[in-house]
Amino acid sequence: MPHVPPGVEIRELQSPDELDELVSIFDDVWRPDPGRRPVTTDMLRALSHAGNYVAGAFLGDHLAGGSVAFFGTPIGENLHSHMTGVSRRGRGHSVGHALKMHQRAWALRRGLTTITWTFDPLVARNAYFNFAKLGARPRHYYEDFYGDIGDELGGTDDSDRVLVTWALTEHPDELAERLDADGDPTAESLLATGAVLGIDTTDIARPTTDLTPVTHDATVVIPIPRDIETLRRTRPVEASRWRLALRRSLSPLLVDGEAARSVRFLRTGHYVLGPAGSAVPSPSKSPSKSPSGVSTSTTTLGAGRA
């Protein structure tokens, strides 16, 4: 299958033993409170049996990660990706990207045109993966989406999430060309040419947001911590301040329709939102096909809960 690195095999999971192993990987990634596992073996078995997406990534004979998704609305068009996790064994092998591309191909074979998922916008690596690697587009900011989820990865902070949509009608090669064409400016260069700073980090432990409404023609640069998970473990109060600052700065800018802003995420840990109306509309053409007739292409680590 295209986009699968050497030594990695992606396939759907159905047997209770494999599903139980996937649950163990998710437990290791999220480290939930006892009795509050994000998924269970019987739930995964039911989802798989009902025709939803439950897949695993193998390195040799070892399960190294997996992804779970189910059909969403609009019916017949969308797949909602709930969880994707990669074990410590799987890191460094592009397992997350391979899982996402497999999920994409699976959805296209069933006539679907979009995949949606939610992610924690404070997790920089996931933001970069979603926007810079996959080209997903944000749709909405949800405050405390899951309530208290009770896992170590999320800490005691509110479970804010951003909903993103991945248009499957854009071929991966064409997507890569578009993302490369966007370039990768620095936050400093954008601010020097008139962009608005969304969060003031003069005192890094006390990030503050200017609540003055951003004008429609402004470009906005919003920094976030490079490693929020460590910050939650070592300085939870500071991490909560970052949650509130990002909520205040990012949430009002994620609007739909003609006023939607383009969104990029830089390697340096900055969101860059273009002027109102700058979002590129989702392509409407049919996806390119491989010689076999299957669209060539393919979650983000921690999609959903993380």
Side-chain angles (χ1 to χ4, degrees):
M1 189 189 75
H3 302 281
V4 175
V8 178
E9 177 192 2
I10 312 289
R11 58 180 169 83
E12 292 183 65
L13 307 179
Q14 294 183 337
S15 75
D17 287 344
E18 289 181 333
L19 295 174
D20 193 52
E21 192 174 354
L22 180 58
V23 169
S24 295
I25 286 177
F26 287 163
D27 284 351
D28 185 56
V29 171
W30 277 274
R31 299 182 293 276
D33 292 341
R36 299 188 63 180
R37 301 174 102 176
V39 293
T40 58
T41 301
D42 57 337
M43 178 188 294
L44 294 185
R45 178 67 178 130
L47 288 170
S48 174
H49 181 72
N52 295 285
Y53 181 83
V54 182
F58 290 83
L59 291 173
D61 295 330
H62 299 282
L63 186 64
S67 183
V68 179
F70 44 81
F71 295 104
T73 57
I75 302 299
E77 298 179 18
N78 183 55
L79 183 73
H80 185 75
S81 182
H82 178 53
M83 295 188 74
T84 296
V86 176
S87 70
R88 281 165 282 194
R89 181 194 297 272
R91 292 169 192 166
H93 295 276
S94 298
V95 169
H97 187 264
L99 280 164
K100 203 63 183 174
M101 298 304 282
H102 182 273
Q103 189 182 79
R104 180 184 187 275
W106 187 96
L108 283 168
R109 288 196 297 270
R110 286 153 181 81
L112 307 180
T113 57
T114 59
I115 298 177
T116 57
W117 62 90
T118 62
F119 81 101
D120 184 344
L122 272 175
V123 180
R125 70 176 185 279
N126 285 356
Y128 185 80
F129 183 77
N130 291 338
F131 298 129
K133 292 294 187 182
L134 298 180
R137 296 181 172 96
R139 288 291 177 260
H140 194 76
Y141 189 108
Y142 291 97
E143 296 183 14
D144 204 19
F145 185 71
Y146 289 106
D148 179 12
I149 55 179
D151 63 42
E152 185 178 325
L153 204 62
T156 58
D157 202 6
D158 286 351
S159 56
D160 288 20
R161 295 293 183 268
V162 167
L163 175 70
V164 299
T165 298
W166 194 24
L168 306 185
T169 49
E170 192 166 20
H171 190 280
D173 293 338
E174 297 166 347
L175 173 61
E177 291 176 2
R178 174 171 67 80
L179 294 176
D180 288 342
D182 287 343
D184 196 14
T186 65
E188 291 76 12
S189 66
L190 291 168
L191 293 170
T193 54
V196 175
L197 183 63
I199 297 178
D200 185 349
T201 59
T202 302
D203 182 351
I204 195 67
R206 295 181 178 274
T208 58
T209 305
D210 183 354
L211 298 182
T212 304
V214 175
T215 60
H216 288 289
D217 60 348
T219 294
V220 186
V221 176
I222 303 175
I224 64 171
R226 300 300 297 271
D227 185 0
I228 190 64
E229 286 129 326
T230 296
L231 199 63
R232 285 171 178 153
R233 291 194 302 271
T234 59
R235 300 191 293 277
V237 173
E238 184 177 331
S240 294
R241 292 183 186 131
W242 271 103
R243 169 68 77 205
L244 184 57
L246 183 62
R247 179 189 294 174
R248 287 173 171 171
S249 60
L250 184 60
S251 178
L253 301 178
L254 294 187
V255 298
D256 213 342
E258 294 182 358
R261 296 172 182 264
S262 62
V263 179
R264 288 177 291 174
F265 192 83
L266 308 183
R267 290 181 182 274
T268 52
H270 296 80
Y271 286 96
V272 178
L273 290 89
S278 59
V280 178
S282 298
S284 58
K285 62 183 179 180
S286 299
S288 303
K289 300 288 184 177
S290 68
S292 64
V294 177
S295 298
T296 57
S297 64
T298 123
T299 180
T300 166
L301 304 185
R305 284 175 53 107

